[in-house]
Every structure is written in structure tokens, then in C-alpha cells.
Amino acid sequence: MTRLGLLGLVLTLAAPSCTMLASKGDYADYREIRLAKGTDSRLYALQQYAERHPNGLWAKDVEIERSTRETETFENGKSTREGLERYLRAYPDGTFAAQARSRLAAVALIERRRQAEQAEAQQRFEARKQREQELTRTWVTRFAGYWSTTLARLNGWGQPIPDVARQNQQFSRAFGALPRPRCTETECIKYYTSPYGIPVPGGTRVERVLSLVLRLRMTEGKLDRAELLMPAQGFSRWYELEQRKLIASGDGEGRNVAVNWALERLQETLKPAIGDLTALASYTLGPIPAPTIASSGEITDTTAEDPSEPAKQLTAEPGVPPASQPDVATLVKPKEQAGPADMVFSPLGVTKEGRTFQTPTAPGAPPPPTAASGEVMVMDPLAVPRDASGNPLAAPAAPGAPAPAVAPAEVPTPPVVKALQGHGLRVVFFAAAGGATGTDAYDGLIIERVAAATAPAAAGKPAKPKAAVAPAPTPKPPVARPATPPAPAPAAPVAPAAPAPAAPAPH
């Protein structure tokens, strides 16, 4: 018999003996071990066989393999949830089972804390996002509130800007913040723009841009007026931005709602700062000239400019200090090697006729053109809202220039002008007529110094009666006095005039 035939006989005789010694389930589970692919599958198959067949035909071999792999399996997986779960599934009653369960509980606790922290971080992110959106939506309200209150409480009206800055350090820091002001000898201006969109039912949205100008105006270098100007019917744009409601061109009713809404907010903001003021019944708003300097082009900060405003630190990274604000000395006088001053004076030249031209800055630049050369650039003033009589409040034209044409109103919405006065200040709220369009349709607020001599006259009527009554009794007594013996009393005032001729005698 050949060798191959002998091997076949041995296998034939062995097969029946195995079948008789191993049960069907024993053989099936052992077969799972032999067919397992991958380490984890084999470990789970070994555990399944050991649990089901402790006295099975292959129990001893299975136990040896499991004991050999146990320590390695635990050490490789003891630091992760997956590794610990793998060990406990392969060795539920193993040598390291208690330690694995303790570690797994700790890992689960750490994971729950981490998940809670992640959920909290996500909530903070969403809250911050909503807060930043809210700040963007309401920045004009906070801006107008901060600046109207700050200017109303300002110390130093009627003094030069450097003196005002020294007396009001918070004002100095805020006014010097981005976008930095640009100044001439007669005005300091800060420009703001804020693009936004208004959702439209059945469409996408309407794109808008809100512009705002904060201007300080000086007379002979002394602060006497502050203006918060919103061109292009800014009250309507302010209302749209904050209320998310569109005011279409020609919507007179919507315009009225926006104007009343804006005026109410401005007055509410100012009342705690200046208290009750006297209303001026017959005040006429004069022309508002256009700014003579353009924007610096710096980034617009749409938070309120109070340096202590918490909103400024919303987007700051943890541990990173907020950006430093310029101090009073920087605003008033630039420090050496500290960059340009926050308020750069005289960037424009002005002729005696009120015309302006750019002054040369580079060495060797040609001298500025004169008015006679015809090359002087004239900065025409913008038109302003109409007065209470309906007449356009147009700024006077430059000498020799033709009078600007006034566009007819498209909507019969009258302008609004309301003036209050007291404590040496006059506060004027105004809104352009509904039909005004373009950048000449100013809405806004003016706070200006009122001279002491003019304050009683503006408040009014009691001063006139007293002046009229006082002269009436006085004319008669002076006539009677010279004829009576007490005449020396009037002579005494005349006597001081006599020393004038007496003065030469000592000489």
C-alpha cells in the first residue's frame, strides 16, 4: 500500500472517533475559532468557546491561548474606552477585570464631563454669536446714546479742544478710537458706515448702507457745537437696521414711524444727562455745511465707543488683553516715536473766500493754487432739511457760484425740528422732509453752547416786560433831582469826570 493510501486510511478512521467525542455545538464553536479573521474576532470566539464548553474537547487548548493573550490585551487597551471594552468582552472574569471596570468608569466620567464642556462651549458660542449679531443690529442706538450723553455732560465747552480733552479723559480716549478723527482748525470729524440687509417676504433681502458722521465744530479754535449727522434720511436707515423692517422710497407713513421712533430714543437717552430743558417754540434750524474732510478709511468699530464697554471684549481670546486706547496726551499732542496724533490738524488749506485746497505734504511740492488761478477746489456745502415754514435750509453758495437747484419733495412729509435749551446748552433734534433724497437729507442731533447773553432772550418773554417797566418810572425822578437841594448827589458822579482836567495841574 502506498504512503498516500495509508494516510487516507488514518484520516478515515480518525474522523469517526472525533465525531463521537465532540458534540455538535462543541465542534461548531471551535470551528468559529479556526475561521475567525483578526485578533479581536479570535479573542471573542475563544471567550465564547470557554464559556459554553468548559469541558469541551478543545477546552485546554483554548484556555492556554487565552491565558497567553490576556496580559497583552489589557496593557494595549487599558487607556481607552475601546481597549477596556475589548478586554472585558474577551475576559469578563479575567485577572484584570476589576481594574478594567474601574478604569472604564473613570473614562466614562471623563467623557461625560468633556461632553458637558463641549455642550457648554457650544452654548457660549451660540450666545456670543447672537450677542454679536445683536450688537451689530443695535450699534447706532448705543452709539447715539453714549455720545449724546457724553457731549451733554462735557466739561470745557467754549474752550480749545486740547483743554477739553484734558478735562474729559474718557471722552478723549473714546473720540480718539477707531475710526480716528480727522481735524482742521474748525472741525473734527469721525465717519461711520454699516452695511446691512433687510429681509423681504417672497424675495431675498434689500441691501442698505447706513452712514453716520460725528462732528465737533470750533469757533476760533474753541469747541462750541457737536453734531450727530445721519445723511440720506438716516433715521429711516437706523429704524430699518434695528427693527428689520423695510421703509421703501416714497413710504411717507413708514418714514413718520421711523422719525418718531428715533426722536423718542434720542430724547430718552439725553434726559438723564441734562434733565428738563425749556422748549423753544420758534426755533429755525440754520444751514448745516458739508464736512470739509473725507473719511480716513480706517476700520469702523460698531460698538459704543466707551472704553469700558464690555462688548469690546466679546471676541477677545482668553488671556489676551484688549487693545489699548490712546491716552489724553496722544490725543492732544503726539509723543515722539509714537506715530501720528489721533487728531491731525489742518489737513486742508482755506482761503479768505472760504474756498479750500489740499496743502502740499512732500518736500519740494508746488505751492498751493490761489483763488485767482481758478484751480482751487470748492467744497460745496450739502443741502439740509427744510424749516418749519417749508423753506429749504440750503447752505449759502460760495461767492460767485450759482444758487443750487432744490429738488421738489416727492412725499408730503414735513421736516421735524425740535429745540430745547437750558444749562448753557441748546439741543436740537431734526429730521429731513420725507421727499428729500441723497446725502443731503440729514437727520440728526445738535448740541451747542449758548452764550450767557443770549440765553435769557431765548427763554424769552419775562425779560422784555421788565425792561419796558423799568425805564417808565426812572425818567421822572432824574428831572426832579437837579432842581432840588439834593442836587450835589448827582454832581458827585460828575465830579469824577473833573479829575481829567485836574490831572494836568500836577504835571
Side-chain angles (χ1 to χ4, degrees):
M1 181 179 293
T2 64
R3 182 178 298 178
L4 182 60
L6 181 61
L7 179 60
L9 179 61
V10 172
L11 292 175
T12 303
L13 294 174
S17 64
C18 290
T19 304
M20 288 185 294
L21 295 175
S23 66
K24 185 177 180 180
D26 189 351
Y27 178 76
D29 288 339
Y30 181 71
R31 188 171 181 273
E32 289 293 329
I33 297 174
R34 301 297 299 271
L35 297 178
K37 294 181 179 179
T39 303
D40 291 354
S41 297
R42 188 173 181 84
L43 285 172
Y44 301 152
L46 288 169
Q47 157 59 20
Q48 180 176 278
Y49 184 90
E51 182 179 355
R52 292 179 179 178
H53 311 286
N55 300 315
L57 182 62
W58 296 280
K60 187 174 182 179
D61 296 338
V62 167
E63 184 60 29
I64 292 173
E65 184 175 353
R66 292 184 72 231
S67 298
T68 304
R69 289 173 174 262
E70 182 178 10
T71 301
E72 180 184 3
T73 303
F74 176 75
E75 291 296 331
N76 289 342
K78 66 181 181 181
S79 299
T80 65
R81 168 185 281 277
E82 294 78 7
L84 291 169
E85 289 177 343
R86 182 191 308 115
Y87 173 82
L88 289 174
R89 181 177 174 183
Y91 302 94
D93 298 321
T95 306
F96 308 102
Q99 185 178 351
R101 290 189 180 91
S102 176
R103 283 175 171 267
L104 188 61
V107 169
L109 178 61
I110 292 173
E111 288 182 346
R112 285 195 297 270
R113 288 179 178 175
R114 185 177 301 164
Q115 291 172 357
E117 290 174 357
Q118 290 176 348
E120 185 178 353
Q122 182 64 26
Q123 291 177 354
R124 288 198 303 268
F125 172 78
E126 293 296 333
R128 177 175 296 183
K129 183 178 178 181
Q130 293 178 4
R131 174 64 174 161
E132 289 178 346
Q133 291 175 347
E134 180 71 7
L135 289 175
T136 301
R137 186 177 67 86
T138 60
W139 79 268
V140 178
T141 295
R142 291 179 295 106
F143 177 93
Y146 173 74
W147 276 112
S148 59
T149 302
T150 299
L151 293 170
R153 293 173 174 170
L154 201 64
N155 294 323
W157 284 96
Q159 299 180 23
I161 283 290
D163 295 340
V164 175
R166 291 189 187 94
Q167 296 178 59
N168 304 270
Q169 295 191 12
Q170 184 173 334
F171 155 80
S172 176
R173 289 191 298 268
F175 198 78
L178 292 177
R180 297 186 188 276
R182 306 187 71 192
C183 300
T184 65
E185 293 180 351
T186 58
E187 62 184 16
C188 286
I189 303 179
K190 290 166 70 74
Y191 287 89
Y192 300 82
T193 56
S194 180
Y196 63 96
I198 302 297
V200 178
T204 53
R205 66 179 198 169
V206 175
E207 299 296 333
R208 299 282 204 193
V209 175
L210 183 148
S211 298
L212 192 148
V213 179
L214 177 63
R215 175 165 68 174
L216 305 180
R217 296 178 65 181
M218 287 79 73
T219 302
E220 297 180 353
K222 298 178 180 179
L223 176 65
D224 61 2
R225 176 162 165 160
E227 300 170 343
L228 184 61
L229 306 177
M230 299 183 187
Q233 298 191 356
F235 284 170
S236 297
R237 306 290 81 81
W238 178 11
Y239 180 85
E240 285 182 337
L241 173 63
E242 187 157 329
Q243 299 297 313
R244 289 292 191 263
K245 294 180 181 178
L246 180 67
I247 299 179
S249 177
D251 182 3
E253 182 178 354
R255 169 66 175 167
N256 286 335
V257 170
V259 168
N260 292 331
W261 176 86
L263 291 177
E264 181 179 354
R265 270 149 188 76
L266 289 175
Q267 293 180 75
E268 286 176 355
T269 299
L270 268 173
K271 190 170 183 180
I274 57 181
D276 295 326
L277 301 182
T278 303
L280 302 178
S282 58
Y283 178 82
T284 301
L285 180 64
I288 302 177
T292 57
I293 1 177
S295 170
S296 63
E298 290 183 297
I299 298 173
T300 297
D301 182 359
T302 57
T303 62
E305 291 194 333
D306 183 352
S308 62
E309 172 64 40
K312 283 186 170 293
Q313 303 174 19
L314 263 179
T315 56
E317 295 296 329
V320 178
S324 59
Q325 297 288 342
D327 56 16
V328 179
T330 306
L331 180 66
V332 177
K333 182 180 179 181
K335 299 178 180 178
E336 292 185 3
Q337 300 179 351
D342 297 334
M343 303 174 73
V344 181
F345 285 86
S346 302
L348 296 179
V350 183
T351 67
K352 293 181 179 180
E353 296 78 13
R355 299 174 182 270
T356 59
F357 56 86
Q358 297 290 340
T359 56
T361 55
T370 62
S373 67
E375 298 177 357
V376 175
M377 180 177 63
V378 178
M379 307 294 287
D380 292 325
L382 297 178
V384 294
R386 299 171 180 267
D387 60 18
S389 303
N391 299 319
L393 299 174
V406 179
E410 297 176 359
V411 181
T413 304
V416 176
V417 177
K418 181 176 181 180
L420 306 173
Q421 186 166 302
H423 312 298
L425 293 177
R426 180 185 298 122
V427 181
V428 182
F429 308 92
F430 58 93
T437 58
T439 56
D440 59 340
Y442 277 134
D443 296 342
L445 165 71
I446 294 173
I447 301 177
E448 59 185 347
R449 181 173 63 101
V450 180
T454 60
K461 300 174 183 177
K464 266 189 177 181
K466 287 182 181 176
V469 173
T474 51
K476 293 180 182 178
V479 176
R481 284 181 181 176
T484 55
V494 180
H507 286 291

